Amino acid sequence: MNAPLSTPLSAALLDRFKNLVGPKGWVTDPDILAPHLREQRDLYVGNSPMLLRPANTAEVAAIIRLARETKTKLVPQGGNTGLVGGNIPFMSNDEIILSLQRMNRILAIDPLNDTITVEAGCILQQVQQAAREVDRLFPLSIGSEGSCTIGGNLSTNAGGNAVLRYGNTRELALGLEVVLADGQIWNGLRGLRKDNTGYALKDLFIGGEGTLGIITAAVLKLHPLPKAMATAFTAIPSPSAAIELLALSKAATGGQVTGFELISRLSLDFALKHNAGTVDPVAERHPWYVLMEFSSGRDDGNIGETMEAVLAEGFEKGLVLDAAIAQSDTQRATFWKLRELLSSSQKPEGGSIKCDISVPVSSMPDFIEQASAAVLALLPDSRVIAFGHIGDGNVHFNLSQPVGWERTEFLKHWDAVHQIVHDIAHGMQGSISAEHGVGRMKIDEIVHYKSPVEIEMMRKIKRAFDPDNILNPGKVVWP
């Protein structure tokens, strides 16, 4: 399906929006607007006459009421770190960008209830730091945490490195404040673990990518701050060995496995090649690696001993070929930095076709084997880059262009590669979008993988909440 039909926005209408937010609340300067019109991988570029920056929830509500009255389309945007185009307007120049980055206050912290209440424009790293200051952990951790916002994290149900132990963003949110498509404000900022009074309304907006309402604040779960960490960069023979090592780790720690990241040799080679100062963590080359981390609330040395015991048993069973255990916080950070560099290190190698899938954890080795064989049959000289959160069944399965190819020529195969990979994931009862969302990229594609019943339920929800289709139209689902 095509983008929504365009209706030019008049200067008089733009002035009405400006008056709602005051001189600090709007931007029309093309140079300032430019970064808000481009997705970071340059897959999506849009156009908009104006960006609105409300200072509070009342201003957001006023903007939405005027948008509904005038049938003006709004594109909510957080830190603009999304990867499926849900944060980028279309080229029609008839959508206004709505940024909540001025709404960045920590509203309350309750260490005894293990909650923090924040505005949606708070940077994730800001929330992490506020939690640490009261000896608590907000465990959501992703590569863009220095620039992404909580509103964006919630709207895309962000995952990250700690889902295995703490869950994704949906599991970390207890309550929301949301401005609905008619301008009403729903105050659901309740820090309750139990509230059995009907539908879980907050879950409609988490992962909704701003298509049902605009999240303006949230009550988030905190956890005890770990007192001890054990981290190892571990060489393994295969993804199958990783799954067995994960099961061994879970059994040995009783739920203290915080991270378990699969890394292929080629993806590590790219990171070492394109980032000065990086060093291979283990002496010899191996086909696969796992970055594994255990954490404990007690600093008594037991977690380190447990890590050593797990690795020793892994050696005996042939699951571990070599391992480097972090001896300091600096070395631990170095290991995790390598993991964070895997994605950006593909760019210097040329075009990259990226897939963000999930399958049951036990199916991960079969998926990697089958998907690799299938895409290489299509493009024999391509380079498979597989890495990611194998502990929760999410792998970033990417294909880098063959050496010597032109980027544009390679990217012509984007749809064909996606169909191959997504068909395999779907056949294993998996998902074609594990943590990046649907956005513009997969709005047509999900129709092929979700049942007609599911798609119609989604459409009914969209029509019920946003009958005028003004909130991020053309994203997630066609109404």
Side-chain angles (χ1 to χ4, degrees):
M1 297 179 70
N2 296 320
L5 295 175
S6 156
T7 302
L9 304 182
S10 68
L13 177 58
L14 295 179
D15 285 342
R16 292 182 67 186
F17 280 105
K18 292 176 185 179
N19 290 335
L20 296 177
V21 293
K24 294 183 179 180
W26 57 270
V27 173
T28 56
D29 185 321
D31 292 334
I32 300 176
L33 273 175
H36 297 272
L37 301 175
R38 183 177 296 273
E39 183 256 352
Q40 59 179 290
R41 295 187 303 198
D42 290 333
L43 292 177
Y44 298 98
V45 179
N47 207 350
S48 174
M50 184 166 63
L51 179 144
L52 293 173
R53 303 173 65 242
N56 52 56
T57 301
E59 289 186 358
V60 175
I63 290 167
I64 292 180
R65 284 194 295 270
L66 178 56
R68 188 182 191 192
E69 174 195 333
T70 58
K71 303 297 188 288
T72 304
K73 292 169 279 191
L74 301 173
V75 179
Q77 192 175 98
N80 198 22
T81 60
L83 297 174
V84 291
N87 48 319
I88 302 298
F90 289 93
M91 286 298 295
S92 51
N93 203 37
D94 64 339
E95 298 174 295
I96 292 176
I97 301 173
L98 179 61
S99 170
L100 270 61
Q101 287 186 307
R102 287 178 69 199
M103 296 175 58
N104 57 8
R105 295 180 300 157
I106 304 291
L107 300 175
I109 302 180
D110 187 345
L112 296 180
N113 194 43
D114 282 326
T115 55
I116 183 170
T117 305
V118 304
E119 290 186 313
C122 284
I123 301 296
L124 173 55
Q125 205 167 66
Q126 175 190 357
V127 178
Q128 294 169 339
Q129 180 59 36
R132 281 194 292 269
E133 289 173 0
V134 294
D135 200 35
R136 294 293 186 271
L137 172 72
F138 182 61
L140 181 62
S141 179
I142 55 181
S144 59
E145 60 194 30
S147 56
C148 65
T149 66
I150 290 296
N153 299 149
L154 289 162
S155 293
T156 58
N157 192 26
N161 300 329
V163 170
L164 173 61
R165 181 164 183 180
Y166 298 105
N168 55 21
T169 309
R170 189 183 302 279
E171 281 70 49
L172 298 175
L174 292 173
L176 300 179
E177 178 186 75
V178 181
V179 181
L180 305 178
D182 60 3
Q184 292 189 86
I185 300 170
W186 172 51
N187 186 345
L189 292 175
R190 293 182 287 274
L192 300 175
R193 267 72 178 177
K194 289 185 173 182
D195 181 9
N196 196 9
T197 55
Y199 304 125
L201 296 176
K202 68 179 177 64
D203 287 333
L204 289 171
F205 303 100
I206 299 173
E209 300 185 45
T211 61
L212 303 180
I214 305 299
I215 297 171
T216 51
V219 181
L220 305 171
K221 290 182 189 176
L222 301 180
H223 292 264
L225 190 67
K227 303 302 181 186
M229 314 279 288
T231 309
F233 204 99
T234 307
I236 59 172
S238 66
S240 294
I243 301 302
E244 293 186 54
L245 185 60
L246 173 61
L248 192 68
S249 300
K250 287 180 175 179
T253 63
Q256 292 180 311
V257 182
T258 307
F260 210 86
E261 298 288 305
L262 181 71
I263 300 170
S264 68
R265 179 67 225 186
L266 187 55
S267 62
L268 180 60
D269 282 341
F270 284 5
L272 296 172
K273 176 182 177 182
H274 295 295
N275 297 278
T278 54
V279 178
D280 200 326
V282 297
E284 297 181 5
R285 294 172 61 87
H286 296 278
W288 294 92
Y289 303 85
V290 163
L291 175 55
M292 50 194 293
E293 186 164 272
F294 305 164
S295 64
S296 172
R298 296 174 63 87
D299 190 9
D300 54 12
N302 287 344
I303 199 69
E305 294 173 4
T306 302
M307 173 74 78
E308 292 174 2
V310 167
L311 292 175
E313 186 174 350
F315 274 114
E316 292 177 5
K317 294 183 174 182
L319 306 177
V320 174
L321 304 175
D322 198 358
I325 300 177
Q327 300 301 310
S328 65
D329 288 341
T330 299
Q331 191 175 17
R332 172 183 175 270
T334 299
F335 290 170
W336 279 105
K337 184 63 176 177
L338 277 174
R339 167 61 183 87
E340 292 170 9
L341 291 170
L342 298 182
S343 183
S344 61
S345 298
Q346 294 167 67
K347 194 167 187 177
E349 293 290 328
S352 183
I353 299 174
K354 298 177 182 288
C355 303
D356 163 44
I357 66 89
S358 65
V359 295
V361 173
S362 57
S363 301
M364 189 65 71
D366 286 342
F367 167 80
I368 292 174
E369 181 180 355
Q370 291 183 32
S372 297
V375 296
L376 291 176
L378 175 71
L379 298 167
D381 296 322
S382 299
R383 296 166 290 173
V384 173
I385 303 294
F387 64 93
H389 323 299
I390 197 166
D392 55 51
N394 173 202
V395 66
H396 300 293
F397 186 88
N398 303 335
L399 201 62
S400 282
Q401 71 180 55
V403 175
W405 276 45
E406 290 293 327
R407 181 178 185 273
T408 52
E409 184 65 26
F410 175 69
L411 292 180
K412 290 179 182 178
H413 299 277
W414 181 283
D415 290 340
V417 170
H418 269 219
Q419 182 174 344
I420 289 170
V421 174
H422 292 167
D423 282 352
I424 293 171
H426 181 68
M428 295 181 177
Q429 303 299 307
S431 170
I432 68 168
S433 184
E435 63 179 0
H436 292 164
V438 176
R440 290 165 59 177
M441 180 183 290
K442 300 177 182 179
I443 185 172
D444 293 325
E445 198 171 0
I446 63 167
V447 176
H448 301 294
Y449 297 105
K450 286 184 175 293
S451 71
V453 173
E454 286 180 284
I455 294 296
E456 185 55 27
M457 284 194 294
M458 291 175 64
R459 286 173 173 158
K460 285 179 178 177
I461 292 169
K462 172 65 173 175
R463 291 193 291 261
F465 276 82
D466 183 18
D468 298 301
N469 197 27
I470 60 170
L471 296 181
N472 221 6
K475 318 291 175 59
V476 182
V477 66
W478 298 101

